[in-house]
């Protein structure tokens, strides 16, 4: 990048005097810039023509000339960034920003938040880690799950105004009287992000590819086959009725990419750039539903903006700042809520713990207020009082102290708040004569955790989507946690119970059946929620239409920026 090289050279010229006038030889300047004297003379002429400095040479070899600076490197850098951003050269802007990481906050401040770029509205969000490539099926990160919902579409979808699935790629669906045949009628004007028309056979092919994934197959265990009833209709043939089917198809994990390109979808935004330090999505002109009000959304991957002492804390995706992170006082909280998702503690069955010991342990956590006393920002978490609204944690009768086993093993994964919870629990159990061994699984879920079966206690994070009751059913169906926690006969019985619940067409009946399942799991001290997160989004003035969704993000299709003030 020529601009970057020129700025580097200007910085080398500037640095020795901090911008004060210098009396220096051409040879000294050449050594400072690691180039020949001939090249440094050319460089000085170029920078003088650009209005950055003035150079008055003295005749005679070895004579000192006068070097005066007209601008600062910071002002040059900002001007360059504005220039390349106006041209849409986002990678060049980030390369410019990386010159001086210690000044990154100040440098990026004018370019984050809502901006009009080339007369089109663009939203730039600083983010604390690289985003993982979007893949069909389950994704571990909250940001990736939300992004998948903006890029891809499913046969059905969830919306903020209804817990029931709504039409998406399918404009309508019908169910046979016996519940074994589901017909999804596909819109006739769909397009992939590359402009090609969507063929119903392509959607069927991608659905079959999804069902080949083990976790997705467990979710769709009742599906016998997926067929083309005709050119605009897909038929699901089931072994047994499953009235969660439209919910399953609305989940982010069931959204459909092109069968030959996993990054190509037909959602409201298309992927324009997906790099380690920049992810950019742009509105899709041929989207089949309401078009986005923004032209583009950019994730600027800038770890330097965040407190490294927080590690990989979930603080950043939970409390999103659209703008400069250390200038929150200048931003306005536009939306906040308590997450439906929660961190949980599970007790492995047939382990070193008896049911009485497991119940005593759950009571210990609740009654001694271990969570309320965690050294964590009080604006970040709140102790759980229920699994989801209305599904309260049971209150057991008070019991005398129970002797715990001398040794137990706890396995936990991210977020980082569970580090603190694990240490707190270890300290309290040590006071009771129990040595707790901590094993950290460095991931956001249990996929690939080979030591999960060796745990006595398990702590993790459970995201809850737009349909809370269904999301909990999906958790029991698909998460590898449950075969590891439950005894074989318990797991088989659990799946049989889920099969009996799903056959009821009535939503209320299914919800009550699933509530009974979780009430029993909590009453038997097998699992209990620990704490929920306090979601918050802060934005600068002028960024509108932001409302928190179930993922702690906001629907990019609803955000909008007013036009710049007319002069």
């Amino acid at each position: 990048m020529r601009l970057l090289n020129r700025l580097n050279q200007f910085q080398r010229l500037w640095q020795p005097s901090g911008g004060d006038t210098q009396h220096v030889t051409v040879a000294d300047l050449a050594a400072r810039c690691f180039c020949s004297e001939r090249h440094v003379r050319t460089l000085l002429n170029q920078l003088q023509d650009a209005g950055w400095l003035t150079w008055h040479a003295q005749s005679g070899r070895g004579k000192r000339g006068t070097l005066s600076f007209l601008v600062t490197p910071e002002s040059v850098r900002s001007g360059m960034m504005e220039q390349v951003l106006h041209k849409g050269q986002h990678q060049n802007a980030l390369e410019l920003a990386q010159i001086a990481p210690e000044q990154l906050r100040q440098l990026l401040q004018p370019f984050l938040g809502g901006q009009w770029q080339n007369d089109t509205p663009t939203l730039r969000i600083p983010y604390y880690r690289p985003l993982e490539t979007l893949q069909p099926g389950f994704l571990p990160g909250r940001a990736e799950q939300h992004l998948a919902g903006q890029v891809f579409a499913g046969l059905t979808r969830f919306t903020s105004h209804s817990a029931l699935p709504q039409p998406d790629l399918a404009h309508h669906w019908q169910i046979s009287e016996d519940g074994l045949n589901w017909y999804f009628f596909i819109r006739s004007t769909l397009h992939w992000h590359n402009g090609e028309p969507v063929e119903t056979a392509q959607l069927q092919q991608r659905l079959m590819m999804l069902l080949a994934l083990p976790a997705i197959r467990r979710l769709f265990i009742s599906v016998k086959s997926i067929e083309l009833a005709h050119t605009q209709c897909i038929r699901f043939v089931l072994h047994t009725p499953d009235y969660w089917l439209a919910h399953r198809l609305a989940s982010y994990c069931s959204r459909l990419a092109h069968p030959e390109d996993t990054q190509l979808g037909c959602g409201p935004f298309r992927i324009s750039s997906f790099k380690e330090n920049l992810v950019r999505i742009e509105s899709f002109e041929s989207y089949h539903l309401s078009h986005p009000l923004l032209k583009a959304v950019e994730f600027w991957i800038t770890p330097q903006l965040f407190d490294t002492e927080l590690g990989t804390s979930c603080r950043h995706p939970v409390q999103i700042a659209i703008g400069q992170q250390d200038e929150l006082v200048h931003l306005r909280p536009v939306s906040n809520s308590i997450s439906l998702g929660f961190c949980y503690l599970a007790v492995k069955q047939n382990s070193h713990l008896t049911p009485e010991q497991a119940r005593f342990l759950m009571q210990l956590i609740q009654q001694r207020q271990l969570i309320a006393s965690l050294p964590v920002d009080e604006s970040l978490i709140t102790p759980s009082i229920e699994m989801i609204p209305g599904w309260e944690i049971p209150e057991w009768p008070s019991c005398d102290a129970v002797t715990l086993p001398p040794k137990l093993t706890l396995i936990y994964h991210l977020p980082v708040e569970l580090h603190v919870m694990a240490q707190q629990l270890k300290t309290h159990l040590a006071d009771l004569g129990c040595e707790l061994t901590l094993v950290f699984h460095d991931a956001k879920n249990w996929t690939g955790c080979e030591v999960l079966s060796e745990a006595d206690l398990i702590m993790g994070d459970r995201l809850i989507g737009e349909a809370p009751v269904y999301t909990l059913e999906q958790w029991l169906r698909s998460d590898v946690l449950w075969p590891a926690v439950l005894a074989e006969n318990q797991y088989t019985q659990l799946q049989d119970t889920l099969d009996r619940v799903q056959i009821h067409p009535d939503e209320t009946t299914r919800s009550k059946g699933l509530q009974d399942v979780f009430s029993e799991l909590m009453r038997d001290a097998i699992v209990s929620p620990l704490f929920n997160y306090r979601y918050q989004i802060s934005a600068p003035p002028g960024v509108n239409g932001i409302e928190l969704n179930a993922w702690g993000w906001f629907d990019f299709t609803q955000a909008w920026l007013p036009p710049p003030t007319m002069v």
Side-chain angles (χ1 to χ4, degrees), residues 450-467:
E450 298 179 355
V451 297
L452 189 60
S453 60
E454 301 175 10
D456 299 300
L457 305 173
I458 300 171
M459 286 198 309
D461 182 30
R462 184 63 219 172
L463 299 177
I464 298 295
E466 297 92 338

Side-chain angles (χ1 to χ4, degrees), residues 299-320:
F299 291 79
W300 285 32
I301 315 302
T302 50
Q304 302 95 324
L305 290 181
F306 301 94
D307 188 349
T308 56
E309 293 182 359
L310 291 176
T312 53
S313 170
C314 68
R315 174 183 181 87
H316 307 307
V318 170
Q319 297 188 352
I320 300 168

Side-chain angles (χ1 to χ4, degrees), residues 478-522:
S478 299
D479 201 315
V480 296
L481 167 75
W482 299 105
V485 166
L486 300 175
E488 185 175 354
N489 65 314
Q490 289 177 308
Y491 183 71
T492 300
Q493 182 180 353
L494 172 64
Q495 299 304 312
D496 290 343
T497 302
L498 297 179
D499 290 343
R500 290 194 298 272
V501 169
Q502 73 179 30
I503 67 174
H504 295 286
D506 179 64
E507 187 96 2
T508 303
T509 303
R510 294 199 307 277
S511 178
K512 179 60 169 61
L514 199 62
Q515 182 178 359
D516 292 342
V517 171
F518 274 97
S519 294
E520 184 175 350
L521 289 172
M522 289 191 289

Side-chain angles (χ1 to χ4, degrees), residues 199-261:
E199 299 178 5
T200 306
Q202 292 175 317
L203 301 180
Q204 179 211 22
Q205 183 180 355
R206 173 54 72 183
L207 285 165
M208 296 299 294
M209 294 168 71
L210 278 176
L211 263 61
L213 302 174
I216 300 296
R217 184 60 198 166
R218 289 193 294 271
L219 190 62
F220 289 89
I221 191 65
S222 300
V223 175
K224 181 179 180 180
S225 62
I226 304 175
E227 305 170 354
L228 286 178
H230 56 74
T231 55
Q232 296 299 135
C233 180
I234 293 177
R235 177 173 67 183
F236 283 73
V237 181
L238 310 183
H239 295 286
T240 186
D242 179 9
Y243 286 92
W244 293 118
L245 182 60
H247 295 70
R248 303 192 197 285
L249 293 170
S251 174
Y252 84 90
C253 65
S254 302
R255 293 181 180 267
L256 303 177
H258 192 286
E260 297 177 2
D261 187 347

